[in-house]
Amino acid sequence: MKVPFVDLQAQFQVLSSEMERIIADVIRKNAFIGGPYLKEFEKNFASFCGVSHAVGVSNGTDALRLALLACGVEPGDEVITTPNTFIATAEAVAMIGAKIRFVDVDPETGNMDPKCLEGALSPRTRAVVPVHLYGRPADMAVICQFAKAHQLKVVSDAAQAHGAEFQGKPISQWGDAASFSFYPGKNLGAYGDAGAVVTNSSEVAAQVALLRDHGRTQKYEHKILGFNCRMDGLQAAVLSVKLPHLAEWTRKRQSHAKRYDDLLVSTAGIRLVKNRPGAKSVVHLYTVLCEDRESLRSHLTSRGIETGLHYPIPLHLQPALSPMGFKPGDFPVAEAWAKKVFSLPLFPELTEEQLVYVAAALNECVRVC
Ligand SMILES: *Cc1c(COP(=O)(O)O)cnc(C)c1O
């Protein structure tokens, strides 16, 4: 049996006639940039996130960069984040000319360890960027309390966490702003690149709206120097078709994760990642930890099962950040995760048969390998 890591075609099967119609409408109406489809999506995504504003932008990396800029992060400021994430989190900070300060992650969740924040604080610290990795919320209560005590902004990298909740509150309601990615493989994916900043602050939303469109207030008038970081009308229309399905897709992801948990809980050599009490994950990725990752992965590959690594090199050891002078041992928990993590196929349309097949292959490997 073949089990792909994600299957975007399965989703398109269900939506194809509606998609083809709306894409033709966007073209007929010349609604390529901005326009009614973007407005409609922004309104509905803000409401999905439980906040008053969503500003559609070009991708999740720009969303984080513009959110940080709109929160007042300037060149030379320091921004605290974790090395256990995708490179984009660090790029967004670096592109502003701000300095990245990494803190290690919690050994149980792989998310920012709030206990490490104090040690990373300096007079130039301006913001904290928790990453809700794999769709699991970081410990926002403690992080936001720390930020408040030190007058720091909190901007979530929620690229993997559409709809996640912490202590019963949508992740977007914690902190000053959250950035989302609609990269095709994310829980809510466009047919190309797209992203959004969501916030309850009308100042932050207005500033992101200016920054994404050349600082333009009206035709021919530019209040500030900005960027071209707009969301396409086509992507907004595609996302509008998908958004009403997102809650149901998330329930399916959560139910698959529960099923994997049940089938793998006593598999020797595999450690499941637990959800913290109060943290509602939207299961972007189903990631487990194991010592002998390579034999497990190659066994699964031989059975036709695709797996992923999120992420095998922690950011502080990436060649791109070598000028910062980090070395192995600087963030030991993140390094241990990077050596052990691997992700199993998970998408809403995954069938019970595929899921059982993956779990059986893993259990078999533990005996054979
Ligand atoms: C996908 C992702 C991003 C970047 O989003 P793009 O839309 O690809 O720019 C940022 N951070 C995390 C954690 C991601 O998973």
Side-chain angles (χ1 to χ4, degrees), residues 106 108-112 114 131-143 161-171 174 250 254 257-258 261 273-284:
D106 179 311
E108 292 297 314
T109 65
N111 277 331
M112 175 177 278
V131 183
H132 309 298
L133 202 65
Y134 315 145
R136 290 162 192 280
D139 191 347
M140 293 306 275
V142 182
I143 293 168
H162 318 69
E165 290 178 8
F166 188 73
Q167 294 182 350
K169 249 173 41 172
I171 215 71
W174 294 88
T250 301
Q254 290 162 336
K258 174 84 179 45
D261 282 350
V273 185
K274 287 198 205 75
N275 273 330
R276 273 285 158 75
K280 191 183 126 205
S281 169
V282 292
V283 201
H284 173 56

Side-chain angles (χ1 to χ4, degrees), residues 59-61 85-86 88-89 131 157 159-160 181 183 186 193-194 311:
N59 56 61
T61 313
T85 176
F86 181 57
T89 314
V131 183
D157 181 342
Q160 304 188 357
S181 165
Y183 180 82
K186 298 285 157 83
D193 278 312
Y311 293 92

Side-chain angles (χ1 to χ4, degrees), residues 59-139:
N59 56 61
T61 313
D62 285 336
L64 183 55
R65 176 168 63 122
L66 300 195
L68 288 168
L69 281 169
C71 285
V73 174
E74 292 178 356
D77 286 346
E78 293 182 9
V79 175
I80 303 176
T81 190
T82 97
N84 188 25
T85 176
F86 181 57
I87 188 79
T89 314
E91 285 173 326
V93 175
M95 281 188 288
I96 295 174
K99 186 164 177 242
I100 303 157
R101 288 296 303 259
F102 288 123
V103 291
D104 213 344
V105 295
D106 179 311
E108 292 297 314
T109 65
N111 277 331
M112 175 177 278
D113 187 343
K115 288 195 296 298
C116 301
L117 288 170
E118 192 81 50
L121 198 64
S122 92
R124 291 307 304 264
T125 312
R126 195 63 175 258
V128 184
V129 176
V131 183
H132 309 298
L133 202 65
Y134 315 145
R136 290 162 192 280
D139 191 347

Side-chain angles (χ1 to χ4, degrees), residues 124-311:
R124 291 307 304 264
T125 312
R126 195 63 175 258
V128 184
V129 176
V131 183
H132 309 298
L133 202 65
Y134 315 145
R136 290 162 192 280
D139 191 347
M140 293 306 275
V142 182
I143 293 168
C144 289
Q145 196 178 27
F146 177 86
K148 194 166 171 215
H150 300 281
Q151 283 147 35
L152 311 175
K153 300 289 182 180
V154 176
V155 179
S156 277
D157 181 342
Q160 304 188 357
H162 318 69
E165 290 178 8
F166 188 73
Q167 294 182 350
K169 249 173 41 172
I171 215 71
S172 313
Q173 289 178 8
W174 294 88
D176 298 277
S179 61
F180 287 88
S181 165
F182 306 118
Y183 180 82
K186 298 285 157 83
N187 286 21
L188 179 62
Y191 290 162
D193 278 312
V197 176
V198 308
T199 177
N200 267 327
S201 155
S202 40
E203 290 81 27
V204 169
Q207 191 67 9
V208 172
L210 268 184
L211 287 167
R212 76 170 165 185
D213 188 28
H214 304 291
R216 178 160 25 210
T217 39
Q218 51 179 307
K219 200 166 187 182
Y220 307 124
E221 191 178 300
H222 305 272
K223 186 177 168 195
I224 56 170
L225 293 178
F227 310 93
N228 178 353
C229 292
R230 298 174 299 227
M231 186 195 283
D232 288 350
L234 279 170
Q235 302 307 343
V238 165
L239 291 166
S240 289
V241 170
K242 290 191 176 192
L243 184 59
H245 299 274
L246 184 54
E248 177 59 19
W249 291 336
T250 301
R251 276 193 291 279
K252 288 187 175 156
R253 288 176 178 275
Q254 290 162 336
S255 120
H256 297 332
K258 174 84 179 45
R259 197 75 184 99
Y260 269 138
D261 282 350
D262 291 346
L263 293 168
L264 298 174
V265 67
S266 50
T267 305
I270 288 186
R271 199 183 108 202
L272 307 181
V273 185
K274 287 198 205 75
N275 273 330
R276 273 285 158 75
K280 191 183 126 205
S281 169
V282 292
V283 201
H284 173 56
L285 294 164
Y286 188 86
T287 297
V288 296
L289 298 145
C290 73
E291 297 291 337
D292 190 8
R293 174 170 77 194
E294 284 324 305
S295 3
L296 276 182
R297 284 193 84 205
S298 55
H299 179 73
L300 293 188
T301 306
S302 77
R303 291 283 189 272
I305 299 164
E306 285 177 6
T307 56
L309 300 180
H310 303 90
Y311 293 92

